[in-house]
Amino acid sequence: MSGGGTETPVACEAAQGGGGKKRDSLGTPGAAHLIIKDLGEIHSRLLDHRPVTQGEIRYFVKEFE
C-alpha cells in the first residue's frame, strides 16, 4: 500500500515538472523578446515587398517622364 502512496506525488511532480521545463526552455523573459524581434526582422526581409515596389514605381515614373 505504501507503493500506491508514492505514485501520486511522483505523478504530480511529473505534471509540474513538464510545465517548468517549458518555462525554462526560453531562458529569461528577455530571450523571448529577442526571439520575437528576430522573427519580425526575418518577416520584414522575406515578406515585406514595399521597398522593392517603391523602387520599381520610382523607376517607372522616371522613365515615363
Side-chain angles (χ1 to χ4, degrees), residues 12-37:
C12 292
E13 289 174 7
Q16 292 173 354
K21 288 181 182 178
K22 288 182 183 176
R23 280 187 231 123
D24 292 338
S25 66
L26 291 176
T28 62
H33 177 70
L34 293 174
I35 291 171
I36 292 170
K37 183 179 176 183

Side-chain angles (χ1 to χ4, degrees), residues 3 10 13 23 28 30 34 42-45 50 53 55 57 64:
V10 172
E13 289 174 7
R23 280 187 231 123
T28 62
L34 293 174
I42 291 169
H43 176 267
S44 67
R45 288 185 180 197
R50 280 180 277 175
T53 305
I57 290 171
F64 186 75

